[in-house]
């Protein structure tokens, strides 16, 4: 009988106090829904957010609660409820009850200024108030396209597609939910573990949502937005904020015995990296309670036209410590005729301010996506989803998940391949790709207009044809075969390459490959002049800069990460080198004062002096170190993010005098490089390189150490490794060398102060480059440039200085895809 009573009591508990019920409803401002409003159990961080339509659901055990409803810019409302079953409660919030009465306004100064001075004075205190914490976050992200370019259908039809396919491009293009636990410790240590991930239409993908990307701290002087902005944004609480912002007190809001100041924030100058909007500062404590900020294209943000950032803070320990419980990013974009918008919303709960971390818990892994996190079923998400889905989101999940199941069938894959593998007439010109989706194999072939048609004085008119075969696997491994054939019509010389590469361990970036070749190569192993530029200069300006020889042989290569941030690569080559001579003198424009130079790159040689055919067996090993490299760990692969330390590489190359070879030398070199963000002043990048030959028993000209020079107005090389005016071959080293490159990108720091020019959204650059070797006592260049002309063009004016007061100068153009 006692056992029966016990079980009856237990059952009674399970169906009453131990049962979970759902509180739901709609939060509105009169008749307008309030998206992403915050709903909290008073005195806790347990709560939820409303969705974009103002609807909310909150799961709670049976009991009596005080529920707080809040929205940035509105007075909060507290409702006392008794929850004994599912309950619907709709709530109307009213705009802040703002009062400006009895505020003493000093002459020439808005009352907001003394408040902001006190808040700025407390900035460091709140920035360093917490030593460590953990929390849980639910994040939902959505992106949609609302408008398509007018002529998109015609373009799709021109390329062989179906114009009606444009209908599939509108609407939601990305919808994802995630759950994660975030860990923080002072000294910039953080780690996020994603435990749940759902992506609409792709159950194999992982969400892009990360709390670490949304966790903007306005107590920092400068706020980094990653790839969204090339320069940091000045916080309204920056220690020098009065140089950047104007402040206006809109009123004071009282409630729960607290007074909150509502302050309008306005940038002093257009183009400065500043927010505009509203910040709420609590009296007496001078802490932030909420934020409603906006960034526009005036601040040179990238990818989007507008970015609205809202934060709501709440007390987590009495009234002494407040932390964000709701973070919201809303954005709009317009590019190439496409228009769209979207949002990312984070609901944060379960703060623990006294966590205990295992030894080496943080180390260098900043994000870990747990195995199986993308396999959670609908039951899991119904139980753990903090923000209810809208009808649009429900439909998107249902439609795309259904489509994904169909697309995963062999029948569908075969039908799509049968359609897309048909050769269209336009593909004869643009290129053709054959796919076998079931087997994950693709074959790509170039079209007529993508053939490599070039000209040089060695081959004359020459034609290159490339193809590629790729086999991919579900675990991110892949295998590729690439081939290239080449024919010179003047020297009637065939050439080609065939290489295979297997990427077998995505967690270590491990790969190995083999290459067979018999093709012409530039003497300068860095390939400083592009074939297209050389063709133009040769045919139009009588300048045949490219010098080449034929190389035939085999190459083995290997690359892997030995441990985090430590990389090894090795290359072994056995090749035969054959001399080539000029075989064509074709010109489109003949300058009688200029003659083609010989194919011998050595200075002061005006004839084709042919070197003796020789063989070389070389091995090159390199170790690269990126200290304290941060990374993400996903199931079956690793993604590198950043490191605040420079990259160091040590390289050793040896030519062995074995197997009937001639070359016999040893070359050792070191490279140090980094890109440093300097806040509002921009970015500074540098690369230092030096080395020398330890053995030169047999060193041929093609084995010298060359540099990335340039003798044209086009700069097609890496800006941080090259010289703009240095001859390609004249100063190649055969003993030792040292070079240094540095460039500073101001990212509009100067130009943005000029009212008319700042509308061009260009950026300014200054750089310096230095070279010294056994062939050249010194050579240095200084360049002044402008980038982002029409978004992608860069223009530099360069001054070059060499011994004996030799000065050279000129302009160079190039493509620059920096933000």
């Amino acid at each position: 009988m006692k056992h029966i009573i016990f079980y009856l009591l237990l059952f009674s508990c399970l169906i009453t106090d131990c049962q979970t019920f759902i509180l739901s409803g709609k939060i509105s401002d009169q008749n307008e829904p309030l998206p992403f409003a915050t709903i909290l159990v008073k005195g806790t961080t347990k709560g939820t957010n409303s969705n974009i339509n103002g609807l909310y659901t909150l799961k709670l055990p049976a009991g009596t609660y005080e529920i707080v409803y809040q929205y940035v810019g509105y007075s909060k409302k507290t409702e006392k409820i008794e929850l004994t079953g599912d309950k619907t409660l709709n709530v109307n919030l009213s705009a802040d009850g703002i009062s400006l009465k009895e505020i003493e306004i000093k002459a020439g100064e808005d009352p907001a200024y003394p408040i902001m001075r006190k808040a700025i004075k407390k900035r460091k205190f709140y920035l360093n108030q917490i030593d460590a914490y953990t929390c849980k976050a639910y994040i939902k992200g959505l992106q949609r396209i609302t408008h398509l370019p007018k002529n998109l259908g015609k373009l799709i039809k021109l390329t062989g597609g179906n114009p009606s396919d444009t209908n599939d491009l509108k609407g939601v293009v990305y919808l994802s939910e995630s759950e994660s636990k975030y860990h923080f410790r002072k000294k910039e240590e953080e780690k996020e573990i994603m435990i749940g991930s759902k992506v609409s239409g792709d159950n194999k993908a992982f969400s892009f949502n990360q709390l670490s990307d949304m966790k903007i701290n306005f107590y920092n002087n400068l706020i980094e937005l990653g790839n969204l902005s090339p320069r940091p944004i000045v916080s309204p609480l920056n220690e020098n904020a009065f140089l950047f912002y104007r402040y206006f007190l809109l009123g004071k809001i009282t409630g729960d015995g607290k007074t909150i100041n509502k302050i309008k924030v306005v940038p002093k100058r257009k183009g400065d990296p500043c927010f505009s909007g509203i910040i709420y500062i609590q009296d007496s404590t001078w802490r932030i309670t909420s934020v409603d900020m906006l960034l526009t294209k005036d601040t040179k943000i990238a990818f989007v036209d507008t970015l609205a950032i809202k934060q709501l803070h709440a007390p987590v320990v009495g009234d002494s410590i407040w932390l964000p419980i709701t973070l919201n990013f809303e954005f709009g974009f317009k590019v190439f005729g496409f228009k769209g918008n979207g949002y990312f919303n984070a609901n944060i709960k379960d703060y623990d301010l006294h966590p205990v971390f295992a030894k080496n818990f943080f180390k260098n892994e900043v994000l870990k996506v747990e195995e199986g996190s993308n396999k959670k079923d609908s039951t899991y998400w119904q139980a753990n989803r903090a923000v209810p889905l809208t009808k649009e989101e429900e439909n998107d999940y249902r439609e795309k998940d259904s489509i994904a199941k169909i697309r995963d069938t062999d029948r569908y894959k075969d039908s799509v391949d049968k359609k897309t593998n048909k050769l269209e007439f336009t593909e004869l010109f643009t290129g053709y790709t054959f796919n076998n989706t079931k087997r994950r194999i693709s074959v790509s072939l170039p079209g007529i207009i993508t053939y490599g048609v070039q000209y040089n004085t060695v081959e004359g008119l020459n034609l290159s044809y490339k193809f590629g075969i790729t086999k991919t696997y579900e675990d991110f491994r892949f295998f590729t075969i690439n081939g290239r054939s080449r024919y010179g019509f003047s020297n009637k010389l065939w050439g080609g390459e065939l290489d295979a590469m297997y990427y077998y361990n995505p967690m270590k970036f491990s790969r190995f490959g083999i290459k067979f070749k018999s093709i012409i190569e530039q003497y300068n192993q860095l390939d400083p002049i592009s074939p297209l530029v050389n063709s133009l200069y040769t045919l139009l300006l009588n300048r045949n800069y490219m010098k080449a020889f034929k190389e035939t042989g085999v190459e083995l290569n290997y690359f892997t990460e030995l441990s985090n941030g430590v990389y090894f690569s090795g290359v072994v080559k056995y090749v035969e080198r054959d001399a080539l001579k000029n075989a064509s003198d074709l010109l489109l424009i003949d300058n009688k004062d200029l003659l083609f130079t010989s194919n011998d790159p050595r200075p002061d040689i005006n004839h084709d002096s042919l070197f003796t055919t020789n063989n070389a067996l070389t091995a090159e090993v390199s170790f690269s170190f990126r200290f304290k490299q941060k990374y993400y760990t996903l199931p079956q692969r690793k993604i590198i993010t950043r490191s605040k330390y420079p990259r160091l590489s040590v390289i050793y190359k040896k030519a062995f005098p074995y197997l009937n070879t001639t070359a016999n030398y040893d070359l050792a070199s070191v490279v140090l490089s980094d890109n440093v963000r300097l806040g509002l002043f921009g970015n500074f990048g540098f690369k230092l390189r030096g080395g020398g030959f330890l053995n030169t028993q047999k060193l041929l000209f093609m084995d010298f150490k060359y540099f990335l020079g340039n003798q044209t107005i086009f700069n097609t090389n890496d800006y941080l490794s090259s010289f703009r005016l240095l001859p390609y071959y004249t100063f190649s080293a055969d003993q030792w060398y040292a070079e240094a490159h540095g460039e500073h990108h101001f990212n509009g720091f100067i130009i943005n102060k000029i009212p008319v020019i700042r509308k061009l959204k260009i950026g300014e650059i200054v750089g310096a480059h230095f070279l010294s070797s056994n062939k050249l006592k010194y050579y240095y260049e200084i360049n002044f440039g402008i980038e982002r002309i029409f978004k992608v063009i860069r223009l530099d004016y360069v001054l070059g200085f060499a011994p004996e007061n030799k000065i050279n100068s000129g302009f160079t153009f190039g493509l620059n895809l920096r933000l």
Side-chain angles (χ1 to χ4, degrees):
M1 187 65 182
K2 292 180 180 179
H3 288 88
I4 294 173
I5 294 173
F6 171 78
Y7 284 119
L8 286 173
L9 290 173
L10 178 62
F11 180 71
S12 175
C13 174
L14 289 173
I15 63 174
T16 54
D17 291 343
C18 296
Q19 190 169 351
T20 297
F21 298 110
I22 297 176
L23 174 66
S24 61
K26 185 174 184 178
I27 303 177
S28 306
D29 170 10
Q30 301 303 326
N31 295 320
E32 294 296 322
L34 294 179
F36 313 117
T38 302
I39 303 94
L40 283 179
V41 177
K42 188 174 182 179
T44 74
T45 59
K46 182 175 180 60
T48 185
N49 298 125
S50 63
N51 66 18
I52 201 166
N53 296 324
L55 301 175
Y56 74 93
T57 59
L58 179 61
K59 298 179 181 67
L60 293 169
T64 301
Y65 299 93
E66 287 187 272
I67 307 298
V68 181
Y69 296 86
Q70 299 179 82
Y71 189 75
V72 175
Y74 286 72
S75 295
K76 67 182 178 181
K77 180 178 285 189
T78 302
E79 297 281 355
K80 189 172 183 179
I81 65 166
E82 184 176 351
L83 201 61
T84 57
D86 292 346
K87 184 180 183 67
T88 299
L89 180 60
N90 298 322
V91 175
N92 286 318
L93 298 182
S94 57
D96 291 330
I98 299 170
S99 173
L100 288 174
K101 294 179 180 179
E102 300 178 359
I103 295 177
E104 181 183 352
I105 301 178
K106 297 180 181 179
E109 183 177 69
D110 191 277
Y113 282 84
I115 297 170
M116 291 306 300
R117 287 190 188 98
K118 293 172 183 176
I120 291 170
K121 190 174 181 180
K122 293 279 285 186
R123 181 189 69 83
K124 285 187 179 178
F125 170 78
Y126 290 121
L127 182 65
N128 299 300
Q129 186 180 23
I130 303 172
D131 292 325
Y133 68 85
T134 63
C135 62
K136 292 180 180 178
Y138 164 84
I139 304 175
K140 185 197 293 182
L142 180 143
Q143 299 171 38
R144 64 170 71 86
I145 291 177
T146 58
H147 180 81
L148 301 175
K150 289 182 179 180
N151 297 321
L152 183 61
K154 293 180 180 179
L155 180 63
I156 291 175
K157 185 177 181 180
L158 183 64
T159 55
N162 186 348
S164 64
D165 290 342
T166 57
N167 297 327
D168 297 332
L169 299 177
K170 288 183 69 173
V172 176
V173 294
Y174 173 80
L175 171 62
S176 174
E177 299 173 275
S178 68
E179 275 199 311
S180 61
K181 187 168 184 179
Y182 180 79
H183 309 77
F184 168 83
R185 189 167 63 186
K186 267 187 185 176
K187 299 181 180 178
E188 300 182 352
E189 292 183 309
E190 62 179 359
K191 184 173 182 177
E192 189 168 357
I193 299 176
M194 188 176 291
I195 56 179
S197 170
K198 182 176 176 65
V199 179
S200 180
D202 192 346
N203 61 6
K204 297 176 183 177
F206 294 97
S207 173
F208 295 140
N209 309 342
Q210 292 179 47
L211 182 62
S212 51
D213 287 341
M214 299 183 67
K215 194 180 66 66
I216 290 177
N217 190 339
F218 282 88
Y219 291 119
N220 282 317
N221 270 322
L222 299 173
I223 295 170
E224 298 283 355
L225 293 178
N227 291 330
L228 282 177
S229 176
R231 49 186 185 160
I233 311 300
V234 179
S235 169
L237 269 66
N238 184 288
E239 57 191 359
N240 296 310
F242 297 114
L243 298 176
F244 296 91
Y245 289 105
R246 293 188 179 93
Y247 301 95
F248 303 91
L249 180 61
L250 299 183
K252 293 178 178 287
I253 307 155
T254 57
D256 295 334
K258 302 178 180 66
T259 300
I260 309 296
N261 299 285
K262 182 178 182 179
I263 296 174
K264 184 178 181 180
V265 177
V266 179
K268 281 191 171 181
R269 292 172 296 275
K270 267 191 173 183
D272 276 356
C274 294
F275 296 99
S276 60
I278 308 293
I279 188 168
Y280 295 81
I281 303 292
Q282 189 181 56
D283 255 356
S284 71
T285 62
W286 315 114
R287 66 162 59 93
I288 297 172
T289 61
S290 56
V291 169
D292 187 356
M293 292 293 166
L294 178 68
L295 292 173
T296 67
K297 277 291 186 182
D298 287 336
T299 58
K300 291 190 177 180
I301 53 176
F303 306 117
V304 296
D305 294 299
T306 59
L307 176 64
I309 300 173
K310 292 182 180 179
Q311 292 186 352
L312 182 65
H313 297 213
V316 295
V317 175
D319 193 47
S320 61
I321 296 178
W322 288 49
L323 288 169
I325 55 171
T326 299
L327 304 175
N328 180 255
F329 288 7
E330 293 184 74
F331 56 87
F333 62 87
K334 179 181 178 182
V335 58
F336 301 126
F338 291 89
K339 293 181 183 178
N341 55 55
Y343 69 84
F344 285 90
N345 187 74
N347 175 263
I348 308 170
K349 63 180 182 179
D350 297 346
Y351 278 101
D352 179 2
L353 303 187
H354 304 285
V356 178
F357 300 117
K359 186 178 180 181
N360 296 326
F361 173 77
F362 287 98
K363 204 103 184 207
N364 297 304
E365 183 184 50
V366 293
L367 172 67
K368 181 178 181 180
V369 179
E370 288 190 340
E371 191 80 37
S373 59
N374 60 343
K375 305 300 180 186
K376 309 290 187 183
D377 60 17
S378 59
T379 304
Y380 172 88
W381 287 106
Q382 287 173 3
N384 292 277
R385 179 177 287 126
V387 179
L389 297 176
T390 64
K391 288 294 183 183
E392 179 188 41
E393 293 162 354
E394 288 178 353
N395 291 338
D396 190 72
Y397 272 135
R398 183 171 56 254
E399 291 173 9
K400 288 184 179 174
D401 289 350
S402 298
I403 292 171
K405 291 178 181 178
I406 295 172
R407 287 178 174 173
D408 201 37
T409 62
D410 290 346
R411 182 178 179 182
Y412 177 84
K413 293 174 183 178
D414 290 340
S415 66
V416 171
D417 288 347
K418 185 177 180 180
K419 179 181 178 181
T420 59
N421 288 339
K422 287 181 179 179
L423 179 64
E424 302 287 342
F425 177 74
T426 54
E427 292 175 325
L428 294 173
F429 300 91
T430 60
Y432 170 74
T433 300
F434 172 87
N435 290 299
N436 187 322
T437 308
K438 263 193 310 190
R439 297 185 178 181
R440 296 175 170 267
I441 295 174
S442 67
V443 180
S444 60
L445 302 172
I448 293 174
I449 62 175
T450 55
Y451 286 176
V453 181
Q454 301 154 7
Y455 178 81
N456 60 66
T457 54
V458 173
E459 298 171 294
L461 186 68
N462 60 84
L463 181 66
S464 293
Y465 188 86
K466 300 179 181 179
F467 72 89
I469 303 172
T470 302
K471 163 71 175 176
T472 61
Y473 304 88
E474 287 193 359
D475 56 1
F476 299 99
R477 293 178 298 121
F478 63 88
F479 176 75
T480 64
I481 297 176
N482 293 294
R484 178 164 68 111
S485 62
R486 183 183 182 106
Y487 181 72
F489 287 91
S490 292
N491 65 356
K492 297 180 174 53
L493 185 67
W494 279 98
E497 289 181 322
L498 182 67
D499 68 82
M501 189 271 289
Y502 180 41
Y503 186 79
Y504 68 92
N505 185 353
M507 295 298 294
K508 294 289 186 180
F509 314 103
S510 303
R511 59 185 181 268
F512 62 83
I514 185 170
K515 177 189 288 187
F516 301 94
K517 63 188 298 188
S518 180
I519 202 164
I520 76 164
E521 298 282 4
Q522 294 188 44
Y523 279 93
N524 188 330
Q525 308 98 330
L526 301 174
D527 292 340
I529 183 168
S530 78
L532 176 60
V533 172
N534 182 71
S535 299
L536 294 174
Y537 265 74
T538 304
L539 291 170
L540 302 177
L541 300 174
N542 294 40
R543 302 284 190 180
N544 59 321
Y545 288 124
M546 193 175 79
K547 311 300 178 185
F549 66 98
K550 185 178 180 182
E551 191 169 79
T552 303
V554 62
E555 174 187 309
L556 301 173
N557 57 76
Y558 177 74
F559 179 88
T560 193
E561 185 181 43
L562 300 176
S563 62
N564 183 53
V566 181
Y567 300 91
F568 168 81
S569 68
V571 180
V572 178
K573 292 171 61 176
Y574 184 83
V575 293
E576 177 185 86
R577 286 93 69 92
D578 296 300
L580 300 172
K581 61 181 180 179
N582 287 337
S584 175
D585 58 2
L586 176 66
L587 289 167
L588 294 181
I589 299 176
D590 189 6
N591 184 341
K592 302 297 183 181
D593 297 327
L594 286 176
L595 297 175
F596 283 146
T597 57
S598 77
N599 188 47
D600 193 316
R602 289 172 292 181
D604 304 321
I605 294 181
N606 296 316
H607 58 87
D608 288 322
S609 55
L610 303 181
F611 62 81
T612 304
T613 297
N614 64 86
N615 299 330
L617 172 63
T618 61
E620 180 176 287
V621 296
S622 69
F623 291 90
S624 293
F625 306 88
R626 192 68 192 239
F627 304 103
K628 293 192 176 182
Q629 171 184 269
K630 305 298 183 183
Y631 62 92
Y632 301 159
T633 301
L634 281 69
Q636 302 173 332
R637 65 176 172 147
K638 177 179 179 179
I639 299 174
I640 305 304
T641 60
R642 65 188 184 275
S643 171
K644 62 181 180 180
Y645 297 98
R647 178 185 294 274
L648 173 66
S649 297
V650 180
I651 306 121
Y652 193 90
K653 186 176 182 179
K654 168 70 176 174
F656 298 93
Y658 306 129
L659 302 177
N660 195 31
T661 60
T662 303
N664 183 0
Y665 63 86
D666 294 76
L667 173 62
S669 57
V670 177
V671 182
L672 186 69
S673 62
D674 200 7
N675 187 57
V676 183
R677 301 194 74 161
L678 299 176
L680 296 178
F681 296 101
N683 300 346
F684 175 71
F686 70 87
K687 182 171 287 186
L688 309 177
R689 192 184 344 239
F693 288 91
L694 308 179
N695 159 38
T696 57
Q697 290 187 36
K698 191 60 177 179
L699 187 66
L700 300 176
F701 193 74
M702 69 281 294
D703 298 316
F704 284 15
K705 172 58 189 174
Y706 294 96
F707 310 102
L708 274 174
N710 184 45
Q711 293 175 253
T712 74
I713 64 169
F714 303 105
N715 186 25
T716 58
N717 299 315
D718 175 25
Y719 281 97
L720 206 56
S721 300
S722 63
F723 299 91
R724 315 300 192 269
L725 305 175
L726 183 73
Y728 297 115
Y729 300 101
T730 306
F731 302 111
S732 51
D734 58 2
Q735 292 183 22
W736 61 269
Y737 71 95
E739 59 180 310
H741 305 269
E743 283 199 341
H744 187 79
H745 298 259
F746 288 92
N747 295 331
F749 180 76
I750 300 171
I751 287 179
N752 281 345
K753 308 295 189 296
I754 307 172
V756 177
I757 297 179
R758 72 184 175 205
K759 292 183 179 180
L760 300 175
K761 299 180 180 179
I762 55 179
E764 58 274 48
I765 313 158
V766 63
H769 310 266
F770 174 81
L771 173 65
S772 181
S773 73
N774 63 290
K775 293 285 189 70
L776 182 65
K777 185 177 180 181
Y778 68 84
Y779 173 80
Y780 61 91
E781 292 177 352
I782 300 174
N783 64 283
F784 306 90
I786 297 174
E787 62 182 341
R788 295 195 296 271
I789 303 170
F790 304 117
K791 295 186 178 181
V792 296
I793 296 175
R794 171 170 165 171
L795 170 66
D796 283 273
Y797 177 70
V798 189
L799 290 169
F801 301 88
E804 300 177 4
N805 297 320
K806 290 183 179 179
I807 301 176
N808 196 7
S809 64
F811 288 92
T812 63
F813 295 86
L815 295 178
N816 189 207
L817 302 180
R818 294 182 74 256
L819 294 179

